[in-house]
Amino acid sequence: MAQPRFRAPRGTRDILPPESTRRRELVSRFADMADRAGYGQLESPVFEDVGVFQRLGPDTDVVAKEMFELHDRGDPPQHLALRPELTASACRAYVEHRPTPPWKIWYEGPQFRYERPQAGRYRQFSQVGAEVIGAEDPAADVEAITLAVRFFEALGLRGVRLLVNSLGDPADRSAYLAALGDHLRSHSGELSPQARATAERNPLRVLDSKRPEDRAAVASAPVMIDHLSPAAAEHFEAVRAGLDDLGVAYEICPRLVRGLDYYVRTAFEFAASGLDVAQDAVGGGGRYDGLVEDLGGPPAGGIGFALGVDRILLACDAEGAFGPSTSAVEVFVVDVAGGAAATKLCDQLRRAGLGADRAFGGRSMKAQMKLADRSGAALALIVGPDELAAGEVTVRDLHGSGRQYRVRLGDAAEAAWAELAGTAPGR
Ligand code: AMP
């Protein structure tokens, strides 16, 4: 076969059926849980003014190194960026529309980051997430974290660990960063060249290093939770107590720093044991009090999370959870009498609420029966010249018995419903 002239761009891929159906079901499971917990869907643009994302912090890799930026055709052109995440857009929307707080929203959709593609890491990937904006109460942190935990449980995932940390308030952080900076400087001989460079720009991110060379210096580094102000410590305590009360298991991970610099106080991540360690994060989130104000809004706290759909599905594959969905096609119409009956029958069946499909192009009985099997349909409705002459159709059970009988063409939908419900006469 000739090589295709075009392929999906590097780091992107086509999600084909039936996997696309499974993804949609995963998203709809999340949507349903979030809706029922009082969150409403936010649909925001896929691109924003680049300034919206720049508020996430100049040291945030996602912003500094990974954004897809573009200029539109305006005069002067507007500097835009494809969204690398959705929290900033949610805060921008909050400032623009000023909904009554707390504003509880969920979202889903593609995000874009110019990363080095590898298994579980793409340049276009999908997230589902939720945010509570305009709430400082630690109960909001507990609610958001628990929503994600219950979602993983609902998918049947057992190997997802919840890691939590507190990053303190901005005022606590300067004293801590000074202590961390001192530590890293005095251990600079033990650090990888990359970590040494990172230590100069953003010492916190060194704690994130997965390089074995950095392990010892990171393990002995001071940790933020030992430098919390009384208010931040009390908040963290309340979040932990809330999770304990609900029986939500977590591990305190004092070296957990998230890749996005705007987090304060609560930070958390979900790690899937079935995935390769470098790419085992299936989601994460935290508190971002201050972001709304940075975007020109009123003082408003916020807490939220984003979960990676692509990686959750990889984790499901690794655990054998949330398997492929069953076919939506219930009845397959096999027409070997010219095809006009199939057109009518499919329409009749679909209008009666049945999932129905057919073949095209006057194919043989054998070829059509093969397609019927592949479609996942439980029933075939067969129309040949005999049936057509008699104004009838043959109903054949494709799963199990293989029994068949004829009904009048006009009764086909009713017969199909009865077969599928297991109430057909003669069963
Ligand atoms: P973040 O916004 O970086 O906290 O990411 C939240 C979640 O999105 C991560 O835990 C991953 O599951 C997923 N994610 C982030 N970046 C990528 C990527 N490049 N490819 C696939 N999934 C990603």
Side-chain angles (χ1 to χ4, degrees):
M1 209 169 71
Q3 285 292 316
R5 188 154 157 222
F6 298 110
R7 291 178 177 278
R10 190 164 137 78
T12 73
R13 69 225 154 98
D14 301 310
I15 316 280
L16 306 180
E19 183 63 8
S20 46
T21 311
R22 185 178 176 222
R23 281 167 76 97
R24 203 181 60 224
E25 280 174 5
L26 180 136
V27 170
S28 100
R29 189 77 72 95
F30 179 80
D32 194 48
M33 287 181 78
D35 277 339
R36 289 164 148 291
Y39 295 71
Q41 185 178 4
L42 170 68
E43 281 195 67
S44 64
V46 164
F47 56 86
E48 298 266 2
D49 190 296
V50 73
V52 170
F53 303 120
Q54 280 163 345
R55 298 285 168 230
L56 300 177
D59 292 325
T60 299
D61 277 358
V62 164
V63 175
K65 300 192 197 150
E66 298 169 2
M67 234 160 23
F68 280 89
E69 296 179 42
L70 57 140
H71 291 91
D72 69 13
R73 291 168 189 273
D75 184 18
Q78 200 185 351
H79 189 176
L80 304 162
L82 299 185
R83 66 184 182 205
E85 58 106 65
L86 260 157
T87 304
S89 298
C91 290
R92 194 267 309 139
Y94 181 82
V95 174
E96 187 170 333
H97 305 288
R98 298 293 172 101
T100 311
W103 198 41
K104 294 179 37 167
I105 53 110
W106 66 268
Y107 52 74
E108 57 98 5
Q111 319 296 327
F112 307 86
R113 296 181 191 176
Y114 195 78
E115 297 197 84
R116 208 158 56 80
Q118 49 194 294
R121 188 173 292 282
Y122 312 101
R123 290 182 175 169
Q124 175 175 336
F125 59 96
S126 243
Q127 289 183 336
V128 293
E131 313 283 349
V132 184
I133 304 181
E136 288 76 33
D137 190 337
D141 306 39
V142 174
E143 178 176 285
I145 294 171
T146 307
L147 182 63
V149 168
R150 301 301 182 221
F151 173 59
F152 289 128
E153 285 173 4
L155 295 178
L157 280 171
R158 294 283 162 264
V160 176
R161 291 152 55 225
L162 164 61
L163 314 172
V164 300
N165 192 17
S166 173
L167 302 176
D169 286 321
D172 317 342
R173 211 173 298 173
S174 47
Y176 167 66
L177 286 181
L180 179 61
D182 287 347
H183 171 86
L184 294 175
R185 262 189 299 281
S186 66
H187 289 73
S188 73
E190 299 164 33
L191 292 174
S192 64
Q194 293 88 340
R196 227 174 291 142
T198 310
E200 289 308 314
R201 276 186 297 114
N202 189 352
L204 213 51
R205 291 305 307 274
V206 176
L207 299 182
D208 226 3
S209 166
K210 302 240 168 27
R211 291 193 179 79
E213 312 91 282
D214 301 327
R215 206 169 286 153
V218 167
S220 59
V223 292
M224 187 68 228
I225 46 174
D226 294 334
H227 289 76
L228 299 181
S229 64
E234 194 184 315
H235 188 96
F236 192 39
E237 180 57 42
V239 172
R240 281 160 34 202
L243 294 173
D244 289 339
D245 280 349
L246 297 178
V248 170
Y250 59 89
E251 295 162 41
I252 294 178
C253 187
R255 283 175 188 79
L256 173 75
V257 292
R258 308 258 313 122
L260 303 160
D261 288 336
Y262 53 75
Y263 287 116
V264 296
R265 298 195 170 186
T266 315
F268 55 98
E269 206 156 270
F270 295 98
S273 48
L275 297 184
D276 188 49
V277 236
Q279 249 75 245
D280 69 347
V282 286
R287 183 161 271 288
Y288 45 84
D289 306 349
L291 188 54
V292 167
E293 226 172 328
D294 267 0
L295 284 160
I303 172 91
F305 63 81
L307 313 178
V309 170
D310 309 80
R311 283 200 208 158
I312 294 173
L313 286 167
L314 290 173
C316 288
D317 291 342
E319 282 197 33
F322 199 68
S325 46
T326 50
S327 172
V329 173
E330 297 165 303
V331 186
F332 199 93
V333 178
V334 172
D335 180 344
V336 285
T343 302
K344 273 200 196 131
L345 262 173
C346 275
D347 184 53
Q348 183 186 329
L349 296 167
R350 289 169 186 159
R351 289 174 65 188
L354 287 150
D357 198 8
R358 58 169 293 182
F360 293 108
R363 306 184 65 175
S364 71
M365 176 81 174
K366 194 169 157 208
Q368 291 193 46
M369 286 310 296
K370 212 181 220 173
L371 286 173
D373 273 338
R374 203 178 299 159
S375 75
L379 281 185
L381 294 188
I382 305 166
V383 186
D386 273 6
E387 283 91 345
L388 202 60
E392 291 179 346
V393 55
T394 295
V395 180
R396 184 188 293 180
D397 177 10
L398 296 175
H399 295 166
S401 75
R403 75 197 185 94
Q404 61 177 54
Y405 52 93
R406 285 196 189 188
V407 297
R408 297 212 48 81
L409 257 173
D411 299 335
E414 204 178 317
W417 271 125
E419 270 301 323
L420 293 169
T423 56
R427 279 186 81 92

